Amino acid sequence: QLHGKDLSFNNLLDLEAALQLVREFQEPAVTFIKHNNPCGVALGRDVWEAFVKARETDPMSAFGGVMACNQELDGKTAQELSSQFLEAILAPSFSLEALEALHTKANLRLLVLPGWREEPLSSPHPLPIFDLRQISGGLLLQESDGLEREGEDTWQVVSRRSPTPEEKQALNFAWKVVAHVRSNAVVFASKDQTLGIGAGQMSRVDSVKLAVAKAGLPLKGSVLASDGFFPFPDGVEEAARAGATAIIQPGGSIRDPQVIAAADGTDLAMVLTGRR
């Protein structure tokens, strides 16, 4: 930690969520995290462009959260951040200009994690090998998601229409992001920017509706990623009404045929990954 107040329990959880999300990408990436959920993720030619696009998703929710980028934080981005309330910023490094701009905010926590861009995703630090959760009488343990993340070669196109190359690129981006959103999780995205995020709802169709309501940008021509299968066609129909043209989801529902038929009925491309 280079600057700011002591880190709280919740700060550390949010920073961990932010770190694991931006580590998904080789391109310059920025995310804003609030209560362990991303409220904006984007890629860009540099950190500044990624920052601008990430904040556009949901600027209201980004207020008071934490931010992480996967490349050095530059002075221009830091100057803009100095006018926004954040709890913490995490980066592989900070330029001298960035540190000067942000040191004016006495409470803002600045954290640097040198070398983490070079570490393999299977490294025990900073990516945990196992996820642990305490329950009454014991612990639950499983391998961390992402250690053996599947690629496009395992995807199955089940709709009449196959996704275009542009849609495939957007689906790949959205599928990486949705893995870091609390279930039930839905992400509308373009090829390099989240457009609307629906998290933590008790029904999947409500996650779709929430993502639409939270969208800070138009959804026409977007793609949708869902972390779990669609139990009914209603979520697909809502996505199509919102403007999505392609969907990626695990599949595995007993109503998959009806869900796929709903995609075909609205000319959506649908891809199943076979893995939640």
Side-chain angles (χ1 to χ4, degrees):
Q1 184 172 346
L2 304 178
H3 181 71
K5 296 192 300 185
D6 290 342
L7 290 161
S8 71
F9 184 89
N10 287 336
N11 291 153
L12 287 164
L13 291 178
D14 282 346
L15 287 163
E16 172 70 6
L19 170 64
Q20 302 312 338
L21 206 165
V22 293
R23 274 177 58 94
E24 293 274 8
F25 305 102
Q26 292 300 312
E27 310 93 323
V30 167
T31 186
F32 289 91
I33 298 286
K34 195 83 163 285
H35 303 299
N36 293 168
N37 272 306
C39 42
V41 187
L43 310 178
R45 289 166 295 183
D46 52 29
V47 169
W48 168 256
E49 183 180 57
F51 154 72
V52 171
K53 292 193 292 187
R55 190 171 61 174
E56 280 181 335
T57 302
D58 188 356
M60 183 180 296
S61 295
F63 180 87
V66 308
M67 190 202 103
C69 54
N70 65 354
Q71 296 194 4
E72 181 173 88
L73 186 69
D74 61 282
K76 181 180 179 180
T77 306
Q79 190 64 47
E80 181 67 20
L81 286 167
S82 68
S83 64
Q84 177 176 346
F85 171 60
L86 290 172
E87 291 282 352
I89 300 174
L90 173 67
S93 58
F94 292 78
S95 72
L96 290 176
E97 294 81 5
L99 290 175
E100 288 174 3
L102 295 171
H103 270 151
T104 60
K105 300 179 74 67
N107 294 328
L108 175 63
R109 303 157 178 91
L110 303 180
L111 293 104
V112 62
L113 195 55
W116 58 268
R117 277 186 58 79
E118 287 73 44
E119 295 185 16
L121 287 176
S122 58
S123 167
H125 176 77
L127 181 72
I129 294 177
F130 297 111
D131 286 329
L132 297 171
R133 182 66 62 88
Q134 183 177 353
I135 59 172
S136 298
L139 295 171
L140 299 177
L141 179 149
Q142 66 177 1
E143 283 189 346
S144 292
D145 187 33
L147 290 180
E148 297 180 358
R149 187 68 57 81
E150 75 286 342
E152 288 184 28
D153 56 334
T154 65
W155 295 359
Q156 180 187 7
V157 178
V158 293
S159 53
R160 284 197 297 262
R161 185 175 74 79
S162 294
T164 65
E166 293 77 12
E167 287 171 335
K168 269 192 173 183
Q169 189 177 359
L171 290 168
N172 193 296
F173 172 75
W175 187 241
K176 288 178 179 179
V177 172
V178 79
H180 299 269
V181 182
R182 299 294 175 183
S183 193
N184 282 321
V186 161
V187 171
F188 286 88
S190 66
K191 63 182 176 64
D192 58 6
Q193 182 181 23
T194 53
L195 305 175
I197 299 172
Q201 300 306 295
M202 283 62 75
S203 70
R204 195 152 300 275
V205 67
D206 282 344
S207 288
V208 177
K209 291 177 179 178
L210 177 60
V212 172
K214 295 289 287 180
L217 296 162
L219 298 178
K220 185 177 181 180
S222 64
V223 304
L224 179 146
S226 171
D227 75 321
F229 62 63
F230 285 93
F232 300 97
D234 53 1
V236 173
E237 293 160 353
E238 286 286 341
R241 278 193 288 271
T245 63
I247 289 178
I248 186 167
Q249 54 124 335
S253 166
I254 60 172
R255 296 183 182 84
D256 272 354
Q258 295 99 304
V259 170
I260 295 166
D264 286 335
T266 52
D267 199 33
L268 281 165
M270 180 168 284
V271 172
L272 303 186
T273 66
R275 181 181 179 191
R276 182 163 187 166

